[in-house]
Amino acid sequence: MYKKQAQGWLKHWDFIFMDVICLQLAFIAAYFFRHGFTNPYSNPLYRNEAIALIFCQIAVAFFTQSFSNILKRGFYEEFTKSAKHVIIVMLLANGYLFLTQDASSYSRITFVITAIEYLILCYATRVLWKKYLISHGHGKSAKRSIVVVTVSDMAERVIQHIYSEPYQDFVITGLIFLDKDMTGETVNDVPVVAGEGTMVDNIRYEWVDEIFICVPSETPYPDKLIDKCIEMGLTVHLSLAKIENISGSKQHIEKIGEYTVLTTSINMASPKQLLYKRTLDVLGGLTGCLITAVLVIIIGPLIYIKSPGPIFFSQIRIGMNGKKFKIYKFRSMYMDAEERKKDLMEQNKMKDGFMFKLDYDPRIIGSEKKDRNGNPKGIGNFIRKTSIDEFPQFWNVLKGDMSLVGTRPPTVDEWEKYDLHHRGRMAFKPGITGMWQVSGRSDITDFEEVVRLDMEYIRNWSIGLDIKILFKTVLSVLKNDGAV
């Protein structure tokens, strides 16, 4: 879902940190020049200004997106961006002095020299650090997977043009040819993963974030493939050399290597929106991990006593756009639960088989113990009913595999049963909770309804919606509805 507009400076915390250091070094050097070699931070006036400079620098980096596409900038563009950044930071710092009525007491020479030295230092540091990153192959282990759809005669040229920039935040994981089937062969070390007849099935079940389609002028675009990719929630790039009407929720123009492309996807998020979401995830992840540490001490022994073995359960799940990752939970089932699942499939409430759900699951630890109403009351039932088993997933959130709010990640066997439109629900990072969980998870037995709610969430995503879902989740857990 959230593509190019969702990239940018979010991953460049190294540049932000170095800019903060450069600003403080410039401040110290200017103070030494004007006041001699004394500690500038021992003076309350200058110490407060130094702190204000840090906040101003971070605020400008955030609100002006100073580091967006920084690795692709030339020397002149970098200088103009650096100068603009420095000017805004110093204007804000000057505004702070006026608001605190300290402007008349603060040395103007110190202020001007700080600005000049800051510009020199931050520009030089950015240029040198970019050279270091590029020379050491930064970006080769990129996190975005892109598949190129083209014809065999153009493949080598297309790859060279895509990788023409010194830095790319994606990696080409496969080629699909429209004119011939060369599956299994390679072009410039990129494998040919499918031909025209098998491309949809390949894309459906493999980790693919984006599709780039580049064909010669005499070859029509594969319209059916484009529609199916959009239906699966993939981001599609089309060369602007020949654009026709393409369906899709959101479109914008961008660059991929030397190509100018029209990008279409279900939804897009700005860098600011993604920063808000990631900040929420980090804060929630840290809090959840601390709670998990306490729960290990309390719940861990109870699990082990009832069912000797590891207290944590891990399983390979399917994440955003088909990328596999390992999910963690407190173990609430007996050790042979996966083997026993096959014998219980006939009792599955989700009759389509895309998910597995039972009213009374005998695989749950202690489920043979019943209360006076005949309901299971074992330790496994307790931790599932209260959603305690989900807490280790906050580690997945911190790692970036999951988000607090998203779509629930399917198992591999469930994923392999997906039709094209089902794949669209994985166009978003999976979450601990989500739209369908707070819409009455216990009452929903139709997987198509789950998909509908997940797609509704993706199309209408906002930070406000995430916060609303989180509040509903907390209320559901407090009511012991097991909504997570």
Side-chain angles (χ1 to χ4, degrees):
M1 168 201 135
Y2 32 43
K3 254 243 13 66
K4 261 313 188 189
Q5 292 187 4
Q7 305 295 323
W9 64 277
L10 293 176
K11 55 184 175 292
H12 296 312
W13 289 102
D14 48 352
F15 285 97
I16 298 175
F17 176 74
M18 286 188 292
D19 258 28
V20 170
I21 298 299
C22 288
L23 179 52
Q24 290 301 302
L25 290 175
F27 166 76
I28 293 171
Y31 185 89
F32 286 168
F33 179 84
R34 179 65 179 84
H35 301 282
F37 292 95
T38 58
N39 181 8
Y41 301 103
S42 63
N43 185 321
L45 171 63
Y46 286 87
R47 181 176 63 245
N48 292 340
E49 176 68 359
I51 296 172
L53 284 170
I54 294 175
F55 283 105
C56 290
Q57 194 277 334
I58 295 175
V60 172
F62 172 64
F63 287 106
T64 67
Q65 301 177 28
S66 302
F67 300 94
S68 179
N69 294 319
I70 189 170
L71 294 175
K72 298 182 180 181
R73 298 177 192 162
F75 292 105
Y76 175 75
E77 183 181 5
E78 188 58 64
F79 180 80
T80 57
K81 291 283 187 180
S82 298
K84 177 182 177 182
H85 178 87
V86 170
I87 290 171
I88 297 175
V89 168
M90 299 312 293
L91 285 175
L92 289 175
N94 190 51
Y96 164 79
L97 290 173
F98 276 102
L99 289 174
T100 57
Q101 299 181 347
D102 290 329
S104 59
S105 303
Y106 195 90
S107 169
R108 293 176 177 81
I109 294 177
T110 302
F111 190 87
V112 173
I113 293 177
T114 298
I116 295 173
E117 291 180 342
Y118 178 35
L119 175 59
I120 296 171
L121 284 174
C122 85
Y123 175 69
T125 303
R126 291 182 185 187
V127 171
L128 292 174
W129 187 241
K130 284 196 295 183
K131 283 188 174 181
Y132 172 80
L133 292 177
I134 293 171
S135 66
H136 284 72
H138 184 76
K140 289 183 179 178
S141 58
K143 294 183 178 179
R144 287 198 294 148
S145 163
I146 189 168
V147 168
V148 175
V149 179
T150 184
V151 295
S152 55
D153 292 341
M154 289 182 61
E156 188 171 345
R157 185 168 70 253
V158 170
I159 293 171
Q160 291 173 351
H161 286 180
I162 290 177
Y163 282 142
S164 61
E165 295 285 347
Y167 170 83
Q168 295 291 353
D169 53 1
F170 57 80
V171 61
I172 302 175
T173 56
L175 295 168
I176 294 176
F177 293 155
L178 298 176
D179 57 334
K180 62 176 68 173
D181 190 350
M182 295 174 56
T183 303
E185 300 184 29
T186 61
V187 178
N188 284 13
D189 296 325
V190 179
V192 180
V193 296
E196 185 174 12
T198 58
M199 54 188 175
V200 173
D201 285 336
N202 178 272
I203 293 171
R204 186 190 309 182
Y205 300 121
E206 296 298 326
W207 168 37
V208 180
D209 293 313
E210 302 164 25
I211 302 292
F212 174 53
I213 301 176
C214 184
V215 293
S217 56
E218 65 274 9
T219 302
Y221 274 128
D223 293 334
K224 291 184 178 179
L225 172 65
I226 295 171
D227 291 340
K228 290 181 184 298
C229 288
I230 294 173
E231 182 182 1
M232 288 188 283
L234 296 174
T235 296
V236 179
H237 307 282
L238 302 173
S239 173
L240 281 179
K242 39 177 292 173
I243 292 294
E244 301 173 4
N245 291 328
I246 301 296
S247 62
S249 299
K250 300 292 178 68
Q251 297 179 332
H252 73 280
I253 295 173
E254 59 176 306
K255 294 281 289 184
I256 292 184
E258 294 183 357
Y259 293 102
T260 301
V261 300
L262 177 69
T263 297
T264 303
S265 62
I266 296 176
N267 200 351
M268 293 179 185
S270 69
K272 292 179 185 178
Q273 289 175 310
L274 288 186
L275 178 64
Y276 292 147
K277 185 171 180 65
R278 185 55 186 158
T279 300
L280 187 65
D281 285 345
V282 170
L283 293 176
L286 288 172
T287 304
C289 284
L290 290 175
I291 298 174
T292 302
V294 176
L295 290 173
V296 168
I297 300 172
I298 301 172
I299 299 296
L302 298 177
I303 295 174
Y304 186 83
I305 291 171
K306 279 291 185 179
S307 176
I311 64 172
F312 292 108
F313 169 76
S314 65
Q315 186 182 46
I316 298 299
R317 293 290 185 96
I318 303 299
M320 182 176 173
N321 291 325
K323 186 175 182 179
K324 295 180 180 179
F325 72 100
K326 185 177 287 187
I327 196 173
Y328 299 94
K329 292 186 176 186
F330 279 119
R331 184 167 62 88
S332 62
M333 293 189 177
Y334 291 109
M335 295 294 293
D336 60 348
E338 287 301 308
E339 290 75 15
R340 295 168 64 184
K341 180 178 178 180
K342 298 176 183 178
D343 299 329
L344 297 169
M345 286 301 296
E346 292 184 359
Q347 302 176 40
N348 186 9
K349 290 179 63 178
M350 308 293 282
K351 297 303 181 183
D352 44 30
F354 290 113
M355 300 177 74
F356 185 76
K357 194 174 185 181
L358 297 178
D359 286 327
Y360 301 105
D361 195 333
R363 302 173 302 159
I364 296 176
I365 299 173
S367 58
E368 62 277 0
K369 186 177 181 180
K370 303 290 193 297
D371 61 17
R372 64 180 61 185
N373 297 318
N375 297 317
K377 54 176 297 186
I379 180 62
N381 300 101
F382 171 75
I383 65 176
R384 288 170 69 88
K385 184 177 181 181
T386 56
S387 297
I388 289 175
D389 61 323
E390 309 282 353
F391 272 86
Q393 291 173 46
F394 284 105
W395 174 243
N396 290 112
V397 173
L398 271 185
K399 287 174 60 184
D401 296 327
M402 297 177 64
S403 178
L404 293 178
V405 183
T407 58
R408 288 299 287 160
T411 60
V412 175
D413 61 323
E414 292 168 351
W415 168 256
E416 291 173 349
K417 298 175 184 176
Y418 275 19
D419 291 330
L420 295 184
H421 69 286
H422 297 150
R423 195 192 195 282
R425 69 183 294 267
M426 302 313 299
F428 205 88
K429 187 178 290 188
I432 295 178
T433 186
M435 178 79 81
W436 73 268
Q437 289 96 324
V438 298
S439 299
R441 185 182 75 169
S442 300
D443 300 325
I444 298 177
T445 58
D446 183 3
F447 183 66
E448 295 298 333
E449 178 65 9
V450 173
V451 174
R452 185 191 69 78
L453 289 169
D454 282 339
M455 295 303 295
E456 178 184 336
Y457 168 73
I458 293 173
R459 292 190 178 97
N460 300 302
W461 176 80
S462 68
I463 290 297
L465 180 58
D466 273 7
I467 294 173
K468 181 180 178 180
I469 291 174
L470 287 173
F471 273 116
K472 284 187 174 182
T473 300
V474 173
L475 291 176
S476 296
V477 171
L478 291 177
K479 293 177 181 179
N480 287 333
D481 289 337
V484 182

